[in-house]
Amino acid sequence: MEHGAHFDLIMGFWGEAARDEDRLSVSLEYHIVDGIPSFMVIDARPRPFAQAAIAGRALDRSEVIGTDMAGFAFKMVDAIALGDDRLAELFPGLCEAEASHQVQ
C-alpha cells in the first residue's frame, strides 16, 4: 500500500526573546519508493503552514538542499518517525533501517 505525508517544520530560535523572523519554515514530503521510505525536501512556501506568522520566512527547496538546514531537517523527521508509534503504519520496517533521504 502506498502512503504519503507532509512534514512541515518551523526551525530556529524559540523563547521569550525570539521573534518570528528568527524562525524558518521547511517542508519535507514523505513517500515510499520501491518499498523504501523516503523523505524529500519540497518548497515550503505553497504549504498552508507557511502562511502562519510564527515563522519569518518559508524556504524553497533550493535554499535547503546541500545545507546544514537539510541535515537538521532530515534528523528531525527521522526522530519523529522513530519516536511516534502513531506513525508506524507510514514507516514499515523503519526500525530495521532508517528512511532514505533521496535528493530528487
Side-chain angles (χ1 to χ4, degrees):
M1 174 180 275
E2 290 294 318
H3 295 282
H6 288 99
F7 285 73
D8 298 323
L9 309 172
I10 298 176
M11 302 166 59
F13 296 102
W14 297 87
E16 291 182 30
R19 302 168 299 148
D20 294 345
E21 296 79 30
D22 296 329
R23 293 181 287 272
L24 302 169
S25 299
V26 176
S27 190
L28 288 91
E29 184 177 79
Y30 166 81
H31 52 274
I32 298 174
V33 177
D34 296 327
I36 300 169
S38 177
F39 292 103
M40 178 177 72
V41 176
I42 62 171
D43 291 343
R45 205 172 320 179
R47 300 283 306 140
F49 88 113
Q51 309 311 310
I54 196 166
R57 192 163 69 85
L59 298 180
D60 288 330
R61 181 180 188 281
S62 62
E63 295 177 278
V64 178
I65 294 299
T67 70
D68 291 340
M69 179 73 70
F72 190 61
F74 285 128
K75 287 179 184 178
M76 287 180 67
V77 295
D78 282 348
I80 293 166
L82 292 170
D84 191 333
D85 292 336
R86 297 171 296 177
L87 301 176
E89 181 183 342
L90 285 176
F91 305 102
L94 192 61
C95 292
E96 296 98 35
E98 285 188 3
S100 166
H101 303 138
Q102 293 184 351
V103 177
Q104 299 177 353

